[in-house]
Amino acid sequence: MMKIIVCIKQVPGTNEVKTDPETNTIIRENVPAIINPFDTYAIEEAVRIKERTGAFIYGISMGIPSAEDMLKEAVSLGIDKGILMTDRKFAGADTLATAYTLSKGIERIGEFDLIICGRQATDGDTAQVGPSLARTLNIAYATDISKIIEIKDNEIHCLKITDDGYEEILIKLPALITVVKEINMPRLPSIKSMKAARKSKIEIVEFDGIKADEKRTGLKGSPTQVRKVFVPLHEVNTTLIEGTLEEKAGKLSEILLNLRMEVE
Amino acid sequence: MAGINIIKDKCVGCKACMGACPFGAIEIVGKKAVITEKCTLCGACAESCKFDAIDFKRDERESSDLSQYKGIWVFAEQRYGKLKTVSSELLGKTRELSSLLKTQVTSVLFGHNIEFLAHELIAHGADEVLVMDEEWLNDFNDYIYGEAMTALISEYKPEIVLVGATSKGRSLAPYISSSLKTGLTADCTGLSIDEGGLLVQTRPAFGGNLMAEIICPNNRPQMATVRPKVFKPLEPDYKRRGKITRIHKKPIEGFVKLLKNIDNSEGQSLSDAEIIVSVGRGIGSAGNIRLAKELADVLGGALASSRPLVDMGWMPYSRQVGQTGKTVAPKIYIACGISGAIQHLAGLADIDTIIAINQDPDAPIFKVANYGIVADVKEILPVLIEKIKGRL
Ligand SMILES: Cc1cc2nc3c(=O)[nH]c(=O)nc-3n(C[C@H](O)[C@H](O)[C@H](O)COP(=O)(O)OP(=O)(O)OC[C@H]3O[C@@H](n4cnc5c(N)ncnc54)[C@H](O)[C@@H]3O)c2cc1C
Ligand SMILES: Nc1ncnc2c1ncn2[C@@H]1O[C@H](COP(=O)(O)O)[C@@H](O)[C@H]1O
């Protein structure tokens, strides 16, 4: 039976950040945490493979202890076993340290056929953890997969979205793919699966539970440092075009034609 | 050991740190700041504290000898023998960075039958081009290109490596940075050099609501991907001289096989357009989009849209502007019925004139627009199109 691992990240439910215009500081309300939206497509795709060919699905996350509830939600969506990697030693990780830590959690699971990640996490939008994890585990990978055409014994046949269109590719297994939202339409959990999920047991893995080098996890293992966070300034003088509809259209057509002459 | 602690005696409970924390990870309990488990150790609070009450230690990593790393590299992305514009944009920017660092700009070019592009790269600002022109490099492949780049970087030791944040670049760069165990900053919108000679990489965080400055002090090379259209290429100077170095290596075999390329073919690409007419939910119906299309046609521009229209299937994804779509830099951007959410604005790079048409005078788009018209798009577009046609 295939073994599939889905990497799931907990992110804030919204990126709205209110700022205090006077002090230029951030007012961050307590927003609920959710499954990274892109990861719901990863979960759904794993579940579809399971329905077609049979598979066992692990869901793994590195995050704060409260991410346990998020993994239970993933179980209600069809994950068979949730694993939460949580430890103060993991905190402050950039994408390199995250990929390293996840790779150690995955080594603990043992052999697998396919890892599925979301295209990117909505809190950082880096899209780096997938490729970085594949490199750390020394397996093949492809990003932005929009369709799995066929899974064979030792390879999968996929469509990948690129800037120029699509690519049809064959990837040797074991492999890692990141998926885009075009790949499927995630289902909603049933009441029954939600109830069962609440009782499910999430495995908690701390630093001592993996064979890892402390220098490569968390803040210590992160080459990049955030030096400063600031509110971007958008300042322009807006000219309002006023008058009747006719007049507005007239003035705008003049402005547009003049600007267009400059362009040409 | 890295960590963060509140020095209780010094903390006065002023809440400045709460305001500075992007993660909402600080609470005030009994007039003292308390750091909760949401903390990611970013250090923003420590800087904000006027009372030195936050003890923040990053571990100083043992850094290998960094001084042996020199020069700036730009990965030259090409397809079918045509350079991606982001490569020339990056070369233009690196000329500025290299003069500050008093160093050289090298471009790395991979592919098959592409050596002629080296002159193009030099004309755009490269001092040297490392060319690997091999049959086995014909198709872009993350593993093959990643291994080849890693080998070259280990050999030549550049201090900065820049890659375009295209779909290919975003997939390739993390392979290289992870192989070299160095840092990589995604999707930068700004690059500069600080007093200490470090590369300061600015990128949007929290969906563009905030900007973050990121550095990579103890590892080399410092690596970043940069979004297309953020920087302007230099006027190419075909008289510029540069060195072309041909490199041959043993073929590498990959694990991903390209079977077929299926290219989009749908009119003028957004990245080349000088004029973009962009529609948002305010257009009301899929049928009304033809009004905006007609305006784009009479002006000789391209049609784009906000995300909801793509989500509803009214527009193809390739036409979406914004944080999760394309970044565009036309001379003129006409936003028709777009509210101007921060995620949409994240896709507007260097635009000379933004014109906004929106029914709601308080729509945020008016804050960034040079010209604003409060009107119903469905009503004004037909009149506008007639007026323009009448004067052409
Ligand atoms: C993680 C994330 C990523 C995102 N990425 C993107 C992205 O890449 N690109 C993007 O665009 N969005 C993105 N969004 C969505 C973004 O937050 C906004 O929801 C979206 O941009 C709003 O689109 P809109 O302006 O078309 O619609 P709305 O916000 O609904 O605005 C419609 C506007 O039209 C006006 N209007 C209505 N009727 C008329 C009329 N008859 N005439 C004139 N004006 C009228 C209204 O006053 C309103 O201002 C993202 C969101 C998230 C959370
Ligand atoms: N802390 C994490 N735990 C589990 N998976 C993660 C974590 N961070 C990132 N990922 C995975 O990597 C993908 C890309 O994330 P990012 O590189 O942060 O944009 C996500 O969609 C997840 O599948």
Side-chain angles (χ1 to χ4, degrees), chain B residues 177-196:
Chain B
S177 61
S178 303
S179 297
L180 298 163
K181 301 195 179 62
T182 188
L184 172 65
T185 306
D187 282 338
C188 295
T189 56
L191 293 175
S192 59
I193 303 290
D194 75 2
E195 324 77 56

Side-chain angles (χ1 to χ4, degrees), chain B residues 189-215:
Chain B
T189 56
L191 293 175
S192 59
I193 303 290
D194 75 2
E195 324 77 56
L198 280 180
L199 180 69
V200 181
Q201 308 156 33
T202 307
R203 75 176 302 258
F206 296 105
N209 286 296
L210 294 174
M211 299 301 283
E213 275 183 16
I214 293 169
I215 50 172

Side-chain angles (χ1 to χ4, degrees), chain B residues 117-139:
Chain B
L117 288 175
H119 302 283
E120 191 85 16
L121 293 165
I122 291 168
H124 279 97
D127 298 306
E128 180 175 4
V129 182
L130 303 181
V131 189
M132 279 178 74
D133 194 321
E134 309 272 9
E135 207 176 330
W136 52 274
L137 287 168
N138 189 50
D139 293 332

Side-chain angles (χ1 to χ4, degrees), chain A residues 15-17 25-26 28 30 64-66 88 91-92 96 119-120 123-128 131-132 135 140-141 143 157 159 162-172 181-182 214-216 219-232 234 236-241 245-246 248-250 252-257 259-260 263, chain B residues 2 19-20 22 37-38 40-42 47 58-59 61-62 79 84 142 166-168 170-171 174-175 178-179 181-184 186 194 200 203 206 209-217 219 255-264 274-275 298-299 311 323 331-332 334 353 355 366-374 383-384 387-388 391-392:
Chain A
N15 275 323
E16 281 316 308
V17 181
T25 53
I26 306 147
R28 204 160 159 81
N30 249 334
I64 58 180
S66 63
R88 279 309 287 169
L96 186 71
R119 171 190 148 94
Q120 63 194 53
D123 57 348
D125 288 317
T126 77
Q128 284 174 187
S132 188
R135 172 66 189 95
Y141 72 96
T143 56
H157 183 184
L159 270 190
T162 72
D163 294 338
D164 309 289
Y166 293 88
E167 282 175 11
E168 212 182 301
I169 55 174
L170 269 184
I171 315 168
K172 281 226 170 74
K181 72 166 198 272
E182 285 74 6
E214 204 181 321
K215 284 202 212 65
R216 292 186 62 191
L219 189 69
K220 268 193 185 182
S222 300
T224 60
Q225 297 180 1
V226 178
R227 168 137 89 181
K228 195 165 116 196
V229 179
F230 60 98
V231 181
H234 294 285
V236 274
N237 286 326
T238 308
T239 311
L240 267 190
I241 301 173
L245 193 73
E246 277 292 317
K248 284 177 183 165
L252 182 55
S253 65
E254 267 169 47
I255 293 168
L256 277 175
L257 289 169
L259 285 172
R260 203 177 71 131
V263 170
Chain B
E37 62 177 25
K38 287 188 199 151
T40 69
L41 295 174
C42 78
E47 249 171 63
R58 291 185 196 284
D59 255 324
R61 295 159 50 93
E62 318 137 32
R79 187 174 144 89
K84 291 273 170 182
D142 292 308
T166 57
S167 56
K168 298 214 156 76
R170 278 165 58 114
S171 178
Y175 184 94
S178 303
S179 297
K181 301 195 179 62
T182 188
L184 172 65
D194 75 2
V200 181
R203 75 176 302 258
F206 296 105
N209 286 296
L210 294 174
M211 299 301 283
E213 275 183 16
I214 293 169
I215 50 172
C216 177
N219 296 68
F255 306 100
V256 177
K257 199 165 130 206
L258 176 64
L259 300 177
K260 197 157 65 179
N261 262 319
I262 308 153
D263 284 8
N264 283 332
E274 300 270 33
I275 301 177
V298 294
L299 292 171
D311 287 347
Q323 184 201 335
K331 297 259 165 43
I332 310 172
I334 310 171
T353 310
I355 297 171
F366 288 126
K367 292 212 181 75
V368 299
N370 303 83
Y371 294 100
I373 295 191
V374 180
V383 187
L384 180 63
K387 296 234 185 250
I388 293 176
R391 301 201 21 200
L392 280 177

